[in-house]
Amino acid sequence: LPGRGLYPLTLTATCGELTAEASSSIAIVFTPPPPDPASPWGIFFSPPAWVKTETDADPAAAAQSHRLLGAAWSRLNFWAGSFGKISIGERDGKPYVTGDYANGKWKQYAKALRAEGISIMGEIAQCPSALSSKEGDRLSDHGDAGEMQNRVKPRDYAEWDSLMENLARDFSEEIQYWEIWNEVNLVGGYWAGTQEELLELVQHTSAALKRGNPNAKVLGCGFVGGLDYADRMFELGMGKHIDILSVHYTDESPGIVERWRELLDKHGLNIPIWNSEERSEAPLYNLSSEIQRNFKFMHIHTGYEAFRLLVNADYTARPPAIWYSVGAHCIGVAKPAGVSDAIPGCKTYAFQRGDEQILAISGHPLKSLLATGAPTVAIAAEPLSPASPITLTDRFGRSRALALSEGEAAFVFDTSPLYINGARSIRVVQVQQAPEAEGLVAEAEEGSCSGGWGRNSKPGFSGDRVLELWSDKDPGPE
């Protein structure tokens, strides 16, 4: 194999006139360092049992995959079914409620992740049916959010508090961070109650989790946009019951992290922000905005094609897994050190890791290519040491040394993102655009189209397909 990347592998066997064929892939990634709890790189855990039989759903293999990809954190959701059979009894005249998760899959998942050194953020994502205020209401009109009985408040907070306290205690060796609910501001989605009911849920759940594990930190509540919704929650007093604000999909909305910080300032809250669900494999905007943790959605491929999930059911890597692992390696625990517009149409993010200064360049080279061709970027840099080269790495992990001449080097920015490592100091000094091109043919693999575009069959073209525009409006950002 020529180096890091993702390579298809086809095996063929013949016996007389019979043949058999199987296809797989081989991923070559950077050797990951031991997981560091200070790292921002996390993955949203997909329970193997969702896509494999119980006998094949090996928690250790899933956890090892997290580590090999460079993750230091995992988001482990507790869905309604994750608690197992709910037992409701009485102790000291009060309800005493437990689940049989201690010997179930979720305990195995948590133990396997910790055995690999992965830190865990647990999430209370649904209300078990046996405790629901709408037990038996099986209405499900919002995709994967679940049945109505799992999207509402519990019927009795004495029962709920007991379950949450026991849960935090029973997982105290594995889980120190707990997120309360998911995407609460999406109308009719994971949370079907009122905002006042949500505040009550957060208040009770936070207090119960901390009784069960006094070291626990609480996050809330996985907002997707929804600043007005969150503003109202803070007015109701939610800020007193959470230690960390959790949000989703900020990397694709530049400027929104600053708005979240303004909202926290408005309510006098000095708490960290975590992104507990993100599409981007290398969320450079989030990292540059000092989002403390980022959890890539999602680990094992369970659908959601547009979200670029990381691995197949057999843990073979998909292309996004390589892109994620490269970002985790090249940036790792480095701290943000500024953002530049030195390259037109792109962003250059600087990071600092010890004595090393890192540049990550992100943008849309195709946009430049369609207009003029790929630009040539010149940098001025000082190596960390004479024996160590400054390297340029693409998203598949293919690295090459940059040859310095009088302290400068140049490269063509024709793919995104690119990472520059191994420098003590580094800066962009010049960008030279390519001359205007009279014509261009661009080829892409199968994808989705903006409104007004269509894929039509045209024999003789690549894949016998062409992409045609049938609209007088600009396409959307997708």
Side-chain angles (χ1 to χ4, degrees), residues 35-50:
D36 184 345
S39 169
W41 297 87
I43 294 174
F44 188 163
F45 190 87
S46 309
W50 283 0

Side-chain angles (χ1 to χ4, degrees), residues 146-463:
E147 297 173 345
M148 180 62 76
Q149 61 183 347
N150 306 132
R151 298 186 277 135
V152 295
K153 68 177 185 178
R155 67 184 176 218
D156 183 338
Y157 273 109
E159 295 177 343
W160 175 260
D161 291 355
S162 178
L163 177 63
M164 293 296 102
E165 184 175 339
N166 285 325
L167 177 71
R169 183 180 298 111
D170 293 339
F171 281 86
S172 60
E173 292 186 6
E174 295 86 17
I175 303 177
Q176 308 302 322
Y177 291 82
W178 289 95
E179 184 178 31
I180 300 175
W181 236 255
N182 181 59
E183 300 184 347
V184 292
N185 61 293
L186 298 186
V187 177
Y190 291 90
W191 177 250
T194 67
Q195 289 188 259
E196 289 74 15
E197 289 172 334
L198 177 60
L199 175 67
E200 188 180 33
L201 178 78
V202 171
Q203 180 180 3
H204 277 270
T205 307
S206 177
L209 290 170
K210 291 185 175 184
R211 284 195 301 272
N213 179 4
N215 296 319
K217 300 292 185 183
V218 172
L219 298 87
C221 291
F223 297 98
V224 187
L227 282 96
D228 291 341
Y229 191 102
D231 189 15
R232 175 59 179 157
M233 291 304 302
F234 286 131
E235 287 177 354
L236 291 172
M238 184 183 73
K240 295 182 293 186
H241 308 293
I242 64 172
D243 305 295
I244 298 164
L245 172 66
S246 59
V247 296
H248 290 180
Y249 302 109
T250 52
D251 193 69
E252 55 200 45
S253 302
I256 196 170
V257 174
E258 288 77 7
R259 293 176 64 197
W260 279 116
R261 287 214 165 84
E262 290 170 1
L263 183 60
L264 292 175
D265 289 342
K266 173 184 174 181
H267 293 279
L269 296 169
N270 183 22
I271 60 175
I273 303 175
W274 289 20
N275 188 310
S276 53
E277 187 168 322
E278 186 56 76
R279 188 195 313 254
S280 303
E281 294 80 10
L284 298 175
Y285 165 63
N286 284 354
L287 295 170
S288 70
S289 302
E290 298 190 83
I291 295 280
Q292 279 196 347
R293 306 284 179 269
N294 292 272
F295 294 83
K296 172 70 179 88
F297 183 91
M298 174 183 271
H299 184 225
I300 301 175
H301 185 49
T302 57
Y304 303 99
E305 194 67 50
F307 289 81
R308 306 187 297 270
L309 280 66
L310 297 178
V311 302
N312 298 308
D314 61 358
Y315 303 112
T316 51
R318 298 161 59 82
I322 310 300
W323 309 339
Y324 177 93
S325 70
V326 172
H329 173 83
C330 290
I331 297 175
V333 297
K335 300 299 182 184
V339 184
S340 166
D341 294 314
I343 304 174
C346 303
K347 291 289 185 185
T348 301
Y349 299 90
F351 298 92
Q352 194 74 35
R353 179 169 53 191
D355 293 332
E356 181 187 22
Q357 189 173 40
I358 303 163
L359 289 189
I361 307 172
S362 176
H364 302 282
L366 183 60
K367 184 177 180 181
S368 301
L369 190 66
L370 290 168
T372 61
T376 298
V377 178
I379 59 166
E382 177 190 355
L384 272 174
S385 73
S388 300
I390 294 174
T391 59
L392 182 72
T393 304
D394 69 13
R395 64 178 180 170
F396 278 101
R398 294 159 186 156
S399 302
R400 64 182 176 90
L402 290 176
L404 292 175
S405 175
E406 298 182 354
E408 294 190 1
F411 58 90
V412 177
F413 180 55
D414 56 0
T415 186
S416 176
L418 285 176
Y419 303 93
I420 304 177
N421 288 88
R424 184 177 302 277
S425 64
I426 184 171
R427 60 187 175 89
V428 175
V429 294
Q430 186 181 27
V431 179
Q432 181 179 354
Q433 297 289 353
E436 291 283 348
E438 293 185 358
L440 174 77
V441 175
E443 181 174 5
E445 296 190 13
E446 192 73 14
S448 57
C449 300
S450 296
W453 293 78
R455 292 181 292 253
N456 291 324
S457 298
K458 298 286 183 179
F461 289 84
S462 174

Side-chain angles (χ1 to χ4, degrees), residues 76-97:
L76 181 63
N77 272 28
F78 283 73
W79 309 99
S82 306
F83 298 93
K85 179 178 173 55
I86 299 293
S87 300
I88 304 174
E90 186 176 301
R91 182 175 291 185
D92 299 327
K94 298 178 181 179
Y96 188 83
V97 183

Side-chain angles (χ1 to χ4, degrees), residues 11-21:
L11 306 175
T12 303
T14 61
C15 181
E17 296 182 356
L18 301 177
T19 60
E21 187 174 283

